[in-house]
Amino acid sequence: VVIGLLAEIPTGYFADKYGRKTSVVLGMILQTIGAVLMTTSLSAPQLVVGVTLMNVGRAFVSGSLEAIVYDSLKANHLETHWDKLVATKIQFSLLAYIVAVPIGGFVYDVYFRLPNILETLTLGTSIFIAMSLKDNYELLQTDKKMIGIHLTEMLIGFKELWSVKLKPFIIPAFMIITVFELYDWGLSKPAMAFNFGLKNKELAIVYTVM
């Protein structure tokens, strides 16, 4: 997570310098390579490299893809639909996640690497979808100041989390996220697996509920 967050700054610079579509395509390629490494992994170091590449790849996509979509809306005088579009995208992402997790738990019984294989195929397909994107963005002659600009934008984004409109939602949102992360990254999941005898199918269902 930390690597992905830090990568947002140089990847934002890259998108300004070489184009946002290029950034999205490169990001999908890195994620696909990372998924291949995780799928074929036989050691912890290979897993670490795979996860790192996937996080850096997400950073290349993050921001660049949203900018392409916003500019497309703006070109068609539909920018007022941006908030609704983002909300809908998040809803579909969560729905896809809820459906995919239990499927992953069950296909694991068929072959333990099959969930990763399906993820790799999905990411590989996304490369070709990304290549079909249209980006009319005029490339900037970026300089070192752009790094500072991206850092400033990130800090502004964090500052906006504490705006008056969002304050009522901050505490419950962080409580829900904390509970989920404690389960996902803490001892809860392995403890449930070993002490209660929950295997891949049962854990997939619990994970989906969480």
Side-chain angles (χ1 to χ4, degrees):
V1 176
V2 174
I3 292 174
L5 185 61
L6 293 175
E8 289 285 343
I9 300 172
T11 54
Y13 176 89
F14 179 92
D16 286 337
K17 180 71 174 177
Y18 300 104
R20 298 173 306 193
K21 177 180 175 178
T22 304
S23 182
V24 173
V25 172
L26 178 58
M28 297 313 306
I29 292 173
L30 288 176
Q31 288 186 72
T32 303
I33 295 172
V36 169
L37 289 174
M38 292 181 66
T39 302
T40 60
S41 176
L42 296 174
S43 64
Q46 187 174 338
L47 274 175
V48 172
V49 174
V51 172
T52 300
L53 284 176
M54 292 190 75
N55 277 305
V56 174
R58 290 190 190 100
F60 271 103
V61 176
S62 174
S64 296
L65 184 58
E66 287 81 356
I68 291 174
V69 173
Y70 182 81
D71 282 353
S72 178
L73 290 173
K74 192 173 182 180
N76 292 281
H77 308 290
L78 296 171
E79 60 266 34
T80 54
H81 294 268
W82 170 251
D83 290 344
K84 185 177 180 180
L85 184 66
V86 171
T88 303
K89 174 251 184 183
I90 293 173
Q91 291 169 344
F92 273 100
S93 297
L94 288 173
L95 179 62
Y97 201 72
I98 288 170
V99 172
V101 168
I103 291 175
F106 282 85
V107 299
Y108 180 90
D109 270 351
V110 179
Y111 178 51
F112 75 100
R113 293 190 188 273
L114 188 53
N116 295 101
I117 292 173
L118 293 175
E119 181 182 28
T120 303
L121 292 174
T122 302
L123 289 169
T125 303
S126 298
I127 295 173
F128 298 99
I129 296 175
M131 291 173 68
S132 69
L133 292 172
K134 294 182 179 179
D135 184 16
N136 298 319
Y137 179 67
E138 185 177 346
L139 296 182
L140 297 176
Q141 296 300 316
T142 51
D143 53 30
K144 294 180 180 179
K145 292 182 180 179
M146 290 303 301
I147 295 291
I149 291 173
H150 285 293
L151 179 59
T152 301
E153 289 176 347
M154 185 181 293
L155 293 175
I156 291 173
F158 280 117
K159 186 178 179 180
E160 286 298 313
L161 288 173
W162 306 103
S163 66
V164 176
K165 291 182 179 180
L166 285 178
K167 277 185 179 180
F169 304 99
I170 289 295
I171 293 179
F174 273 99
M175 286 176 63
I176 294 171
I177 292 172
T178 300
V179 170
F180 176 77
E181 294 297 342
L182 284 174
Y183 167 76
D184 193 27
W185 293 96
L187 297 174
S188 306
K189 193 160 53 175
M192 292 174 72
F194 286 104
N195 295 330
F196 298 107
L198 300 184
K199 302 302 179 183
N200 48 292
K201 294 179 181 177
E202 295 84 357
L203 283 175
I205 294 172
V206 174
Y207 195 86
T208 302
V209 174
M210 290 294 290

